[in-house]
Amino acid sequence: MTLIKMSWGYLRTQKRAVAAIVVLQLFQVLLNLWLPALNAAIINNGIIPHDQGYIWRTGMIMLAIALLQVASIVGAIYFGARTAMGFGRELRATTFRKVQGFSNTDQHRFGAATLITRTTNDVTQVQMVVLMFFTMMIMAPLMGIGGIVMAIVQDAKLSLLLAIIVPILALLVGFVMRQLTPRSVIQQQRIDRVNTVMREQLTGVRVIRAFVREKTERKKYDHAIRDLRAIGLEIGMLMTFLMPAAHLVIGLSSAATVWFGGFRIAAGNMEVGVLTAYISYLMMILGSIMMSGFFVMMFPRGEVSAQRIKEIHDTVPSIQAPANPRTLPTGPLTFELKRACLQYPGAETPVLEEISLVCPPGSTVAVVGSTGSGKSSILKLLPRLIDATSGQVRVGGIPVTELDPRELRSRIAFVPQKAFLFSGTIASNVAGNVRPESSYDAERVRLALDAAQATEFVDKLADGLETAVEAGGTNFSGGQRQRLTIARAIYRCLPDKTGKRSADLLIFDDSFSALDAVTDARLRANLRNYIGDIAVLIIGQRISTIRHADIIHVLEDGRISGSGTHEQLYKFNQTYQEIVTSQMSEEEAL
């Protein structure tokens, strides 16, 4: 069983806690089994002979036992909940770290929605099964076996009823479990679907409103919810069938016990107190089966969730560090693509073919091309977000496949096309701190903001660098988010207090589109004064942004159709001429 193997990997490190749970559960079961025998003794030796002293003495013992039982149950639940929550925490963290190691291809194979569901809902299901195991399944067999033994001790002949009652109840639980397993698989898949639709609608809310698609999207969401509701009702119906059916069996069992017990009492073969104790033990036996049944109903869904989580854990990331990675030399470094080709899995044709470009220290290299020409795919090769199908990607003369991806990416500062900020403060976003309250180099943060032309609006804010940033930076305009995102990348290119720079390559992925022409020009004109001899790679469509680059590569249908300066390309490259003339007049181009 996947769930058992997965949980055992953690529980074997928590032997003391598990041992404490087992001991406490065993102790409270023994106390629970003792109480009906004492109750029978009170009836037979106290109530019937009218012995008040015996009733009080035995009653006080029963009260003390009950208090000890409560303490044992509380202790068992405490350690059980603590252990289960710890297991859930470790499982969630392990799954999250595994997903963080996935390449773009790995993430797309699963899908964002199902990765979220597996990291949250599926982990919760597994955690709940482990918790129920500690609170129910350790106690249930102990109570069931103990109840059978004590029932036989009370009256062996009347215990023949157990040979009929227990199998009937076990068959009932088994039938429900068999029906629940496939439905649990469907339920988790439909939760994935609901998360997918919800994520699409939240991400594309502006597009939905702009094209007045609220009604269509509402229908899509309603359909996903109805499907989830339908399978939830099926599972609920099975559960609601089990409970009254089990209670019917238990009620008939009690009636049969009283019926046959009454005949035995009338014949003088059984005492009244024994019959009372026997009924209590019968309820314990049937109760243990019911607890087992309840656990059995939850187990299939937990097993399905464990299999879905295991699928993530067993996935070997397509991008991995070599066994003995080489170490990058100290910067500045040269980044190079040498006849690199890239074809995505399942694609019929390559998206990049024979791409060769070099980004030496202190240079500004630009790549320009029409939409769909493969510009953004180049950016996936340099930090090794995906491996080239053929050719080589080199950093400092070392192939990236021989480097640890984490070290490689730590030497690259990246400004994405879509600006994104994390919740925290302006300072924590620019400095890249996980927690807003972490210390940061204020002088370096301000230099980064100056370089990104963001100081002007940051200084106008009441809290300055400590201004709160909502998730995604939704409390800032598009241009402000873009400048803060640029500042975050530039921060890594600035020297720290020891004079060391973290990054050796600064990449702009069409990152100036949200900036006005004046801000764009000021930023590019002063950038080199801040970042020194760090190489800069600009992916862009706006000619005014890339025209002053040292070398411009024109990308067309995944191939470089021309390379040179702005003036050279404008004279001799037809594709570049078409891009230029679509954006500016001939006088401006010259």
Side-chain angles (χ1 to χ4, degrees), residues 23 42 49 76 125 147 159 161 184 197 245 266 277 285 311 340 347 384 440 453 481-482 551 562 572 574 576 582:
V23 170
I42 284 181
Q125 297 304 321
S159 297
L161 288 172
S184 296
V197 175
I285 296 168
E311 188 178 355
R384 205 189 170 199
Y440 59 88
Q453 306 299 309
R481 285 198 303 271
Q482 192 72 69
I551 184 170
F572 303 110
Q574 183 180 355
Y576 190 77
S582 68

Side-chain angles (χ1 to χ4, degrees), residues 3 10 17 132 169 203 228 236 256 269 293 296 319 347 366 486 527 570:
L3 177 56
Y10 172 78
M132 290 177 63
L169 209 52
T203 304
L228 179 60
N269 297 324
V296 162
I319 304 295
I486 293 172
L527 181 62
Y570 186 63

Side-chain angles (χ1 to χ4, degrees), residues 61-72:
I61 294 173
M62 292 180 68
L63 179 61
I65 290 173
L67 293 175
L68 287 173
Q69 186 181 13
V70 169
S72 299

Side-chain angles (χ1 to χ4, degrees), residues 162 167 210 234 295 348 379 439 457 475 532 559:
L162 297 176
E234 290 184 27
F295 177 80
E348 296 180 357
L379 303 186
S439 60
F457 81 85
N475 56 329
R559 288 179 173 271

Side-chain angles (χ1 to χ4, degrees), residues 136 200 382 425 434 512:
M136 291 185 180
E200 287 177 351
L382 288 170
T425 65
V434 177
F512 303 101

